[in-house]
Amino acid sequence: MFKFNFQDKNDKKEDNIKDCDPKTEEKSWIESEEIIPKNQGDIVKKILANCSHNSMQYNEILLKYYTTEDVLNVLRNNIVEKPVLNNSLSVINADQSHSDLISSVYEGGLKIWECTYDLLNYIDQQKINFKDKSVLDLGCGTGLIGIMSLIAGAYSCTFQDYNPEILKYNTIPNVILNEGEYTNKSRFYSGDWSSFTDLLSSAQEKFNYIFTSETIYNVENYEKLHNTFQKLLKEDGIVYLAAKSYYFGVGGGISLFTDFLKKKNVFKYELCWNCPEGLKREILKIQFIEFCY
């Protein structure tokens, strides 16, 4: 089990990762499935009607999102139906063990990771043009990056996160909170990257932009992540990957992932942003080799 305690935007504690289990064991990854937002409408109204929400302002874009504590309280207090609650035990168990990550069980979707803020700021500052573009928010969690792209004019956004309950009680409610009509331009998928990629590849779906944040902490998943980029990015598309330079206690990080990219020789990359102070954080811009930056 991994225990992540990354710094939240309003948390002044230093980043810390501990309780990394050195034992390698066979993991059973959740198969991908599509979560249909219209099936969530009544549940969202019922469970989040009285919940508070936070907001962040990026020039002309206002992002709203439900608080992690409120979403957890919904699950803790049995507000949802029993069959749904039983499927949400991975999130509840992770919360009870004060863990932000249990590999292949719960992958941290309730938390807004530090590099997500970096990526949101970068998108806003660079004024990335989303008009008529398709977007994949990979490892979306709260879905803020995908929501920003929709507000900025993307014609479609696909949200992917590992745990289905994250999409049902976190991502979809946040999309509806910002603008209910955005669900008509969105699709939502749970499950691991391998089965997710197979599912979308069979439908020949590809994206102009893939955004992903804090997803390279586990080197065992680099092959799956690279395969997702290779199969789901359009030929002239761009991946923006935000991450810490090194994840202490786990082993992943920017340098290891760029070494992996070099060996594969499919993508070019460049460092387009970095924060040199404290625990270093960086954003990579990734494209197919045959297309220049």
Side-chain angles (χ1 to χ4, degrees):
M1 181 185 77
F2 301 90
K3 184 172 181 180
F4 282 63
N5 289 307
F6 286 140
Q7 182 178 350
D8 196 282
K9 190 177 184 182
N10 299 314
D11 187 353
K12 299 191 181 298
K13 294 180 181 179
E14 294 183 356
D15 287 352
N16 182 35
I17 305 174
K18 53 185 177 181
D19 293 349
C20 177
D21 187 350
K23 298 178 182 178
T24 57
E25 51 187 49
E26 193 71 24
K27 297 183 178 67
S28 178
W29 296 92
I30 298 173
E31 288 292 311
S32 183
E33 64 172 322
E34 184 173 6
I35 309 298
I36 308 299
K38 68 178 182 180
N39 296 340
Q40 297 300 117
D42 291 340
I43 294 177
V44 168
K45 290 177 184 177
K46 177 181 177 182
I47 67 178
L48 294 174
N50 297 317
C51 291
S52 59
H53 67 266
N54 291 336
S55 63
M56 293 183 286
Q57 186 76 48
Y58 293 90
N59 288 317
E60 298 179 357
I61 293 179
L62 177 67
L63 293 176
K64 295 178 285 186
Y65 58 99
Y66 289 106
T67 65
T68 299
E69 193 61 28
D70 272 340
V71 177
L72 278 170
N73 282 335
V74 166
L75 299 176
R76 293 185 191 118
N77 296 332
N78 295 357
I79 296 176
V80 296
E81 291 83 352
K82 268 294 182 187
V84 179
L85 179 63
N86 291 339
N87 290 333
S88 304
L89 288 176
S90 57
V91 175
I92 296 172
N93 289 340
D95 173 59
Q96 290 174 343
S97 64
H98 305 290
S99 177
D100 291 318
L101 173 71
I102 303 174
S103 185
S104 80
V105 177
Y106 168 65
E107 294 288 334
L110 276 179
K111 188 179 182 70
I112 303 178
W113 299 95
E114 189 175 14
C115 291
T116 298
Y117 296 113
D118 297 334
L119 196 48
L120 287 167
N121 282 316
Y122 180 82
I123 292 169
D124 179 59
Q125 291 166 4
Q126 296 298 310
K127 302 187 184 305
I128 292 175
N129 181 16
F130 288 102
K131 184 175 173 55
D132 299 325
K133 297 295 192 292
S134 58
V135 173
L136 170 59
D137 188 348
L138 189 67
C140 63
T142 56
L144 293 179
I145 293 170
I147 293 168
M148 174 179 269
S149 74
L150 289 169
I151 295 174
Y155 81 81
S156 70
C157 182
T158 296
F159 296 84
Q160 183 277 337
D161 204 80
Y162 184 67
N163 298 99
E165 57 269 27
I166 297 302
L167 293 159
K168 292 177 181 179
Y169 304 113
N170 195 9
T171 316
I172 292 174
N174 284 337
V175 172
I176 294 172
L177 177 66
N178 282 271
E179 174 54 66
E181 291 301 313
Y182 288 153
T183 57
N184 297 327
K185 302 169 67 175
S186 306
R187 299 182 74 179
F188 305 86
Y189 290 89
S190 62
D192 87 310
W193 292 328
S194 180
S195 58
F196 167 71
T197 300
D198 290 344
L199 195 60
L200 267 65
S201 293
S202 64
Q204 298 184 327
E205 293 192 40
K206 292 180 183 289
F207 301 92
N208 297 107
Y209 291 113
I210 297 176
F211 295 97
T212 190
S213 174
E214 307 268 24
T215 51
I216 58 170
Y217 51 83
N218 187 350
V219 295
E220 294 177 2
N221 289 330
Y222 284 6
E223 186 72 43
K224 289 194 287 188
L225 183 60
H226 186 278
N227 190 49
T228 298
F229 294 167
Q230 188 170 353
K231 289 188 175 181
L232 299 187
L233 186 68
K234 290 186 176 183
E235 288 185 347
D236 59 347
I238 301 173
V239 176
Y240 286 101
L241 182 150
K244 291 182 172 65
S245 301
Y246 186 73
Y247 290 90
F248 296 99
V250 182
I254 289 286
S255 62
L256 283 174
F257 189 69
T258 54
D259 286 345
F260 187 86
L261 290 176
K262 289 176 186 176
K263 290 177 182 177
K264 286 292 187 179
N265 199 34
V266 173
F267 294 103
K268 287 184 177 181
Y269 65 88
E270 65 172 330
L271 177 65
C272 58
W273 180 89
N274 75 300
C275 177
E277 298 178 358
L279 186 59
K280 288 180 62 179
R281 309 186 309 276
E282 301 172 293
I283 297 176
L284 295 179
K285 180 180 180 181
I286 302 168
Q287 288 179 286
F288 285 108
I289 285 176
E290 59 266 34
F291 285 88
C292 298
Y293 291 126

